[in-house]
Amino acid sequence: MNARHIDERPENAEAPETTHAEYGAGNPRLRITRDGERTEFPLVADEVRIGSAEGNELRLADTDPLHATVTHDDRDEYVLALHGEGEMNSNPGADATHPGEATETLRTGSRFTVGRWTLVFARDEFADHGRPAGGRLGGEYSDQPLQPPRPDYSADAHSDSAADT
């Protein structure tokens, strides 16, 4: 982060909330469309393989056998890795993204394509780490109040996912 933050607020200012929700909170999901078809796919596994191969968590016709992967990491982020042809709407070199040319940290509204399918990531704003200080109402651009440090999700990361399977 750059050095510009709103660190000093008047004493009567409300303290902003954070986006540090429980691990996996916020109903993370992919909204999927193609040729008038629409569906949602909940992201409940720590890794979701997307493609046409049998055994993938999300099978989509007319795609590579393994076209993309969405990984829920130990920082409670959802990370896209495109293995086949597709478009992303973010710059992989931007701050707070994971390294790699075809990789991005997903935020609510992040859009990518897999074959002729369009997928959009959604997560309730209170849990989407890309919106600090309780969402848009907490500030924008250079006027972001500092949040408390991110919790250690490592203890929760695999216990919650294991209970879902």
Side-chain angles (χ1 to χ4, degrees):
M1 272 181 122
N2 63 35
R4 293 188 58 185
H5 304 288
I6 299 175
D7 301 288
E8 300 172 14
R9 290 181 289 277
E11 294 211 15
N12 60 350
E14 289 186 31
E17 294 182 20
T18 72
T19 56
H20 301 321
E22 299 289 320
Y23 183 83
N27 188 25
R29 61 212 175 270
L30 294 173
R31 294 181 171 148
I32 306 164
T33 59
R34 179 180 94 163
D35 301 330
E37 293 179 57
R38 295 174 184 266
T39 190
E40 277 195 359
F41 183 85
L43 295 172
V44 294
D46 281 339
E47 182 177 78
V48 173
R49 296 166 297 169
I50 302 168
S52 59
E54 196 159 324
N56 286 346
E57 289 74 20
L58 176 55
R59 290 187 65 196
L60 298 174
D62 306 319
T63 61
D64 291 347
L66 179 60
H67 209 110
T69 306
V70 174
T71 304
H72 186 194
D73 72 9
D74 60 1
R75 296 185 63 221
D76 195 34
E77 299 284 12
Y78 290 84
V79 182
L80 166 69
L82 277 177
H83 308 295
E85 289 294 315
E87 297 177 358
M88 300 183 307
N89 68 326
S90 75
N91 174 0
D95 287 346
T97 60
H98 287 69
E101 295 236 352
T103 303
E104 77 173 289
T105 303
L106 297 174
R107 300 282 183 237
T108 293
S110 292
R111 177 191 163 280
F112 62 99
T113 61
V114 174
R116 292 183 8 232
W117 298 92
T118 298
L119 295 87
V120 178
F121 177 76
R123 188 175 191 182
D124 298 345
E125 191 171 46
F126 76 90
D128 190 359
H129 301 294
R131 284 281 173 212
R136 290 185 193 274
L137 297 178
E140 284 290 319
Y141 303 111
S142 63
D143 298 329
Q144 293 287 350
L146 292 176
Q147 292 191 81
R150 190 182 296 237
D152 179 8
Y153 291 110
S154 60
D156 297 332
H158 300 289
S159 63
D160 290 345
S161 297
D164 292 337
T165 58

